[in-house]
Amino acid sequence: QVQLVESGGGLVRAGGSLRLSCVASGSIFSINRMGWYRQAPGNERELVAVRHSGGDTNYADSVKGRFTISNYNADNTVYLQMNSLKPEDTAVYYCNAYINTRYSGPEFRYWGQGTQVTVSS
């Protein structure tokens, strides 16, 4: 069994910063990618940032230059540093990971429980 546990959300004023963290634990053979998604009320869940095992990253256009996703290989922990936050960044942020639980086994997708980020104007 694999768990993703997020922390670091909260309330911040526009222009401020937050750092989210996500720890993957359990029966993990390899992590192929870890990333962050977010969902605001009435909206679909959207990709924020992703880090692939080889080091490549992808960001939503709306967060480029403001958010940075860390590497995760050392301790199965990924961070999302969010700077210059805007009210439109308000959402529940979810950690996501694609994980192999055994050698040559299938890849499964896992989600964290979500952490609320609220940016006031």
Side-chain angles (χ1 to χ4, degrees), residues 67-116:
F67 291 11
T68 303
I69 188 168
S70 72
N71 200 355
Y72 62 82
N73 292 332
D75 56 5
N76 296 342
T77 301
V78 69
Y79 300 95
L80 183 68
Q81 179 66 44
M82 305 186 294
N83 298 329
S84 303
L85 283 161
K86 304 175 181 179
E88 50 264 42
D89 294 318
T90 296
V92 178
Y93 284 69
Y94 296 92
C95 182
N96 167 265
Y98 287 79
I99 295 173
N100 290 94
T101 58
R102 57 185 173 86
Y103 177 74
S104 295
E107 178 184 78
F108 293 101
R109 189 179 195 184
Y110 295 90
W111 291 96
Q113 80 284 359
T115 185
Q116 177 71 45

Side-chain angles (χ1 to χ4, degrees), residues 1-5 23-26 28 99 110-111:
Q1 184 148 354
V2 173
Q3 282 190 317
L4 303 181
V5 179
V23 181
S25 63
I28 297 172
I99 295 173
Y110 295 90
W111 291 96

